[in-house]
């Protein structure tokens, strides 16, 4: 049997691959693991059947036999630990790749998401014009630090790993902000991730769901 993940029946990102199921799809594609997708509506996400899988009523979830997981980072780590291709064989390099996964989720993603939410939902607020530069600068601090660490390398720590996968999915949220344009090395890093065949397969799969929902 193949694992089953959940995804939005109608994604609010309009098929841009920014919903967190994209991370799991990409990881599964990278390791060559076939999977099933169960689409859930916003209403179904808050019903007992889904809450039993994800206590916070979100997506994605992951089910494989008797194992059920929630939180995209935990799911990607589980996949990476059980299949070759996303974590190095060397123990120290493996630990560094996991550290980059945590960095993406804990250090980069919070200011990136806060900026994105403000741009989406606060444009008509009286404080928006004053608050926006502050949010942008918070992201710039992290991008500057990441840029210095990345340097002229293709990936964060040697070969592509789950750390890069997670970091690229976080950074992709900045496409509409214009901030990536200020850091050409990071923009190129994101582009390298998006050019990977496994990413393209995952992206097309989630886009097909949005297109089908739009036609119905």
């Amino acid at each position: 049997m193949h694992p089953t993940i959940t995804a939005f029946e109608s994604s609010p990102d309009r098929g841009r691959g920014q919903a967190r199921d994209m991370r799991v799809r990409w990881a599964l594609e990278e390791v060559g693991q076939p999977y099933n997708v169960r689409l859930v509506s916003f209403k179904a996400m808050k019903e007992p059947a889904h809450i039993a899988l994800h206590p916070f009523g979100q997506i994605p979830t992951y089910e494989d036999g008797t194992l059920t997981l929630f939180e995209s980072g935990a799911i990607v780590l589980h996949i990476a630990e059980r299949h070759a291709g996303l974590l190095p064989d060397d123990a120290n390099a493996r630990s560094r790749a996991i550290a980059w996964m945590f960095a993406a989720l804990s250090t980069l993603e919070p200011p990136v998401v806060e900026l994105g939410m403000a741009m989406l939902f606060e444009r008509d607020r009286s404080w928006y014009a004053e608050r926006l530069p502050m949010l942008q600068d918070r992201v710039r601090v992290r991008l500057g630090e990441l840029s210095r660490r990345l340097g002229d390398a293709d990936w964060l720590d040697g070969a592509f790993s789950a750390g890069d996968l997670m970091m690229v999915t976080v950074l992709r949220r900045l496409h509409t902000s214009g901030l990536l344009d200020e850091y050409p090395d990071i923009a190129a890093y994101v582009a390298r991730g998006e050019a990977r065949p496994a990413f393209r397969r995952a992206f097309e799969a989630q886009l097909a769901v949005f297109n089908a929902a739009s036609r119905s």
Side-chain angles (χ1 to χ4, degrees):
M1 292 181 61
H2 301 323
T4 296
I5 69 170
T6 51
F8 287 122
E9 184 178 81
S10 181
S11 179
D13 73 351
R14 302 187 65 79
R16 293 196 297 269
Q18 294 178 357
R20 288 177 174 87
D21 66 282
M22 180 64 192
R23 301 166 178 177
V24 179
R25 292 175 184 268
W26 186 5
L28 289 165
E29 293 288 353
E30 284 284 351
V31 302
Q33 171 62 57
Y35 60 100
N36 301 311
V37 180
R38 184 171 66 253
L39 303 177
V40 293
S41 66
F42 287 103
K43 179 177 181 294
M45 286 166 58
K46 304 305 179 183
E47 293 177 348
H50 189 74
I51 295 295
L53 303 177
H54 196 310
F56 304 108
Q58 300 177 336
I59 60 97
T61 61
Y62 172 97
E63 298 168 80
D64 188 10
T66 60
L67 175 66
T68 298
L69 294 174
F70 63 98
E71 291 296 331
S72 61
I75 297 169
V76 171
L77 180 57
H78 171 80
I79 294 166
E81 288 182 328
R82 283 155 181 78
H83 300 274
L86 285 175
L87 289 176
D89 292 331
D90 175 76
N92 288 345
R94 190 181 187 93
S95 294
R96 290 194 300 271
I98 294 171
W100 278 115
M101 291 182 66
F102 278 84
L105 295 175
S106 300
T107 303
L108 271 293
E109 189 165 47
V112 168
V113 169
E114 187 176 17
L115 172 62
M117 296 297 283
M119 293 176 66
L120 279 174
F121 300 115
E122 297 180 11
R123 288 183 179 274
D124 60 343
R125 303 293 185 175
S126 59
W127 63 78
Y128 179 74
E130 182 176 355
R131 186 167 185 256
L132 182 63
M134 177 189 69
L135 298 176
Q136 292 172 326
D137 286 343
R138 287 178 182 172
V139 175
R140 286 189 179 100
V141 168
R142 295 307 185 200
L143 293 179
E145 293 164 340
L146 183 64
S147 176
R148 287 190 291 273
R149 178 56 184 262
L150 182 64
D152 59 359
D154 284 346
W155 307 112
L156 292 170
D157 192 85
F160 176 84
S161 76
D164 295 294
L165 184 153
M166 201 62 70
M167 188 67 75
V168 169
T169 61
V170 169
L171 295 172
R172 291 188 70 249
R173 292 175 172 270
L174 294 172
H175 272 319
T176 59
S177 73
L179 292 180
L180 288 180
D181 297 336
E182 300 177 18
Y183 301 86
D185 55 339
I186 296 182
Y189 168 68
V190 173
R192 281 192 292 277
E194 293 174 329
R196 293 180 69 83
F199 175 91
R200 298 311 310 170
R201 292 192 298 271
F203 183 88
E204 293 301 327
Q206 64 83 35
L207 179 60
V209 173
F210 174 77
N211 288 338
S214 299
R215 290 192 296 267
S216 61

